Amino acid sequence: MTPDAPWLIAGLGNPGPWFRLTRHNAGFLAVDRLAERHGARFRRRGIATLVAEIGLDGHRVLLAKPLWWSINLSGRPVAALLRRHGVPVERLVVVQDDLDFAFGSARLKRGGGPGGHNGVRSVGEALGTRDFVRLRFGIGRPPKGQSVGDFVLKKFSEEELAAMPGELDRCADALETLVERGLNRAQDALNAPKAPGVARTDA
């Protein structure tokens, strides 16, 4: 890996305005927030991706939102971006929603299985490796009687939406720290106690 190799931060979500504030689109929301911080605008690259570019501590960072029909098919456009821009897999970050964490929790990790997330599975299959970093944004578990499929495609609750700006800022902070100072520092920052906000529910 060359020292000046770019980073790629890919948020996962479903394309289309109807899905914008649904739980399955937490990845899109996080990269939107990071782009907004740096005054960057997303532009269409080909038919399958929106891309914005920012700079962090001298690093070139591409922000991407794959648009290949469904979140479950995110791997092909992510792999194409890595090839096109010479991004090593060590500098790929995938931002996803995660049922295993309550809303208000987020975790960074490198590698590991997809945990039932078909978008993450698609990325791993397209790359032939899972050795990329994932930021997992907690969305909690569906209430009794509601299917996982229905839950992830429903919009966040009013209480969650009220707390969302702070949660997205925490994620943006962690992503900036990851690029500038490394994974361990970013994990420490993300896992640090935060000010009280929306009540967490057990995942």
Side-chain angles (χ1 to χ4, degrees), residues 2-69:
T2 59
D4 59 349
W7 287 75
L8 174 63
I9 301 175
L12 303 188
N14 283 305
W18 190 91
F19 294 103
R20 181 174 174 270
L21 295 177
T22 59
R23 293 179 174 89
H24 226 10
N25 276 40
F28 277 9
L29 295 174
V31 294
D32 280 341
R33 182 68 188 109
L34 190 52
E36 180 184 338
R37 276 188 174 190
H38 294 269
R41 295 182 61 185
F42 283 93
R43 302 181 187 279
R44 188 172 289 272
R45 299 284 177 90
I47 62 171
T49 319
L50 293 174
V51 177
E53 185 170 333
I54 64 174
L56 291 174
D57 194 28
H59 296 284
R60 181 185 176 212
V61 181
L62 302 170
L63 309 177
K65 296 192 286 186
L67 305 177
W68 194 261
W69 302 110

